[in-house]
Amino acid sequence: MVQLTFYGGVNEIGGNKILLEDKDTRIFLDFGKSFTCGCDYFTGWLSPRRINGLGDYFHCGLLPKISGIYAEDQLKFTDLPYTEPSIDAIFLSHAHFDHIAHIEFVDPKIPVYLGEGTKLFVKSQEETSTFSDYGEHPYKTFRTGDKIQIGNIVVEPIHVDHSIPAAYGFLIHTSEGTLVYTGDLRLHGPRKDMTEEFIDRACDSDPIAMICEGTRMVEVERRKNYSEQQVKQHSDEVVSSTDKMVFFTHYSRDMDRFRSLYSVAKDNSRRIVVSTKTAYLLSKLVDDKRLDLPDPVKDDDILVYFKRKKSGDFEEKDYYLWERPFIDKIVTFEDIHKKQSEYVMDLGFYQFAELVDIKPDSGSHFIHSMSEPFSDEDIEDEVMHNWLKLFNLQFHQLHASGHMNRQQLGKLIRKVNPKKLFPIHTENPQLFKSLGYDVQIVECEHNYNI
Ligand SMILES: [Zn+2]
């Protein structure tokens, strides 16, 4: 008997934590953090205390009390006794935090399987952020086409296109038949061929069941439905029609978007200015040649923005060790101010105070290359627009989603044709029923046979 238990991603977008049991073999598919995790009890600087391990999480009901998965030191201040691992492996589909973040609590004895690129993202995040620590794990990297045997199960990762490199779906060959897990995926990105390959392989496996993401399974789509190519084209229209400064913001791990904005800058004889964090991430990702990303140290079209520190002299010693390799590519607020027509600058929301130093000319541009706000009362969105008004920056909303829309999901499901369907990572699982499949609407922490 093969069973599934969903500990996250149920009636919500993100937070996937799926337990698959085949006789005495037990694996988790993703171990992510919900976007809403803890928002009833924690906000701003009030957050679960790291020193208390899982104590605050369990007390507030933020993570399931499962024996044999968590690290001994994380359980120290809880009523769940530590036991040796009862989970054989965790498979991570991609490096978005709603799929990986809670591995920080996982027992370091449990192997974590992930794509080469996903490991680079994890390491880069840990090295450049004081708050990120995913814990020690025996990481095992995979590539498309590998067949990884874990007890009674064989897991076959296959690349898909998503808004982050190194995203995978899985074909999981169990003693009852093949189970397909989509992870997150799209068909309108630059590597839609990878998603098509995944769909073909999933179809050929004649699956008994599919766990399918449904981020954009909505009654009526209200957001713009751009492809990456359209985002690039419209960004080019903005940049080519002005000699003023152009700022943009994007999800820091969306390298397709970085590539788009990088080309737009270059095509318009401008140089792209990135943060030290993005420079560091790029310097790690260039090792993966297939990603075809520019090297921030060697590429003359990339400059790196160093913030003003106490000395005011931009001396190497003012900066973190990981920032220093990019000091030769330095660009300061004064440089940007003087030559506004020569740059396209990556400016994240949390860096907006830099505008006070940069002093962009009135009528400069800001490309918001991220999702539109999820609610009308989004505080950050309001604050962002206050800043834009303060500097009279022209706002452009240009974003391509990392997910399939409703029609594409329908096509995917019809093609793969699973006998049973488990919609997750969606707020509207019931909408999948209109496709006429045997749809299992799942509840949190219940067991389902596949
Ligand atoms: Zn994702």
Side-chain angles (χ1 to χ4, degrees), residues 156-169:
E156 215 183 323
I158 297 170
H159 50 207
V160 294
D161 189 30
H162 184 39
S163 47
I164 188 168
Y168 291 83

Side-chain angles (χ1 to χ4, degrees), residues 7 10 23 40 60 80 142 187 231 290 312 352 355 368 376 383 401:
Y7 290 99
V10 177
K23 298 180 194 121
D40 289 340
C60 300
L80 185 70
F142 55 63
L187 263 171
V231 169
R290 293 165 313 160
F352 264 33
L355 289 168
H368 186 255
D376 294 338
V383 170
S401 167

Side-chain angles (χ1 to χ4, degrees), residues 4-8 10 17-18 422 424 442 444-446 448:
L4 289 170
T5 314
F6 299 84
Y7 290 99
V10 177
K17 291 180 278 296
I18 307 159
F422 296 92
I424 58 148
V442 299
C444 228
E445 303 195 22
H446 281 236
Y448 299 93

Side-chain angles (χ1 to χ4, degrees), residues 165-443:
Y168 291 83
F170 298 120
L171 305 186
I172 305 146
H173 308 291
T174 73
S175 53
E176 301 268 341
T178 299
L179 167 72
V180 177
Y181 174 46
T182 61
D184 287 353
L185 74 184
R186 65 177 172 186
L187 263 171
H188 57 278
R191 293 307 309 270
K192 64 175 185 184
D193 59 304
M194 298 199 298
T195 302
E196 282 161 355
E197 188 184 333
F198 169 74
I199 296 171
D200 286 344
R201 301 276 289 275
C203 166
D204 292 345
S205 73
D206 192 18
I208 49 167
M210 176 156 80
I211 304 168
C212 186
E213 75 120 320
T215 311
R216 292 174 71 194
M217 184 54 108
V218 288
E219 202 82 66
V220 186
E221 182 101 50
R222 289 197 172 80
R223 289 152 194 269
K224 287 202 184 91
N225 197 6
Y226 284 146
S227 66
E228 191 60 40
Q229 187 53 36
Q230 286 170 308
V231 169
K232 190 174 163 188
Q233 184 194 323
H234 291 306
S235 302
D236 185 74
E237 284 161 15
V238 173
V239 179
S240 62
S241 65
T242 184
D243 55 4
K244 295 196 175 185
M245 186 63 200
V246 179
F247 298 99
F248 71 95
T249 186
H250 71 127
Y251 294 109
S252 59
R253 296 168 176 199
D254 186 343
M255 305 323 286
D256 292 330
R257 190 59 40 79
F258 173 80
R259 222 182 275 108
S260 296
L261 271 312
Y262 167 81
S263 318
V264 167
K266 221 171 148 171
D267 293 348
N268 288 281
S269 308
R270 292 187 183 223
R271 291 199 277 181
I272 196 163
V273 178
V274 301
S275 65
T276 49
K277 264 192 187 182
T278 298
Y280 188 83
L281 179 61
L282 282 170
S283 73
K284 294 288 151 193
L285 294 176
V286 286
D287 288 346
D288 191 337
K289 297 282 174 262
R290 293 165 313 160
L291 296 180
D292 192 26
L293 287 163
D295 185 332
V297 176
K298 295 182 189 151
D299 190 313
D300 290 339
D301 293 311
I302 301 181
L303 292 172
V304 183
Y305 186 80
F306 279 75
K307 288 186 197 176
R308 181 159 57 93
K309 292 264 167 113
K310 211 172 176 183
S311 78
D313 292 331
F314 298 96
E315 286 174 30
E316 196 167 324
K317 65 175 169 45
D318 291 341
Y319 299 94
Y320 293 113
L321 285 175
W322 60 264
E323 294 179 295
R324 294 182 194 175
F326 312 108
I327 200 87
D328 290 344
K329 304 297 291 292
I330 186 171
V331 65
T332 68
F333 66 91
E334 281 172 329
D335 302 328
I336 305 260
H337 178 73
K338 278 188 214 146
K339 299 176 180 172
Q340 298 183 43
S341 62
E342 295 182 16
Y343 303 117
V344 170
M345 180 177 175
D346 176 0
L347 186 74
F349 175 72
Y350 296 112
Q351 318 305 329
F352 264 33
E354 297 301 314
L355 289 168
V356 175
D357 288 353
I358 295 170
K359 299 184 185 62
D361 290 344
S362 174
S364 291
H365 298 263
F366 180 76
I367 299 173
H368 186 255
S369 206
M370 302 172 83
S371 291
E372 290 156 73
F374 289 92
S375 94
D376 294 338
E377 285 148 31
D378 189 304
I379 302 285
E380 282 195 5
D381 187 63
E382 206 181 307
V383 170
M384 178 182 77
H385 282 280
N386 290 342
W387 278 95
L388 301 183
K389 238 181 259 163
L390 191 62
F391 286 93
N392 193 29
L393 300 185
Q394 300 183 54
F395 176 76
H396 308 272
Q397 172 64 38
L398 294 173
H399 180 56
S401 167
H403 304 272
M404 288 185 180
N405 64 23
R406 187 174 180 171
Q407 286 73 27
Q408 291 166 328
L409 283 167
K411 253 167 98 176
L412 157 78
I413 292 160
R414 279 190 287 274
K415 178 89 195 276
V416 175
N417 196 24
K419 293 188 180 59
K420 203 182 234 180
L421 190 61
F422 296 92
I424 58 148
H425 202 282
T426 177
E427 288 171 343
N428 301 301
Q430 73 290 346
L431 291 181
F432 281 78
K433 288 195 165 172
S434 64
L435 296 164
Y437 279 80
D438 179 5
V439 175
Q440 180 71 63
I441 305 288
V442 299
E443 282 180 51

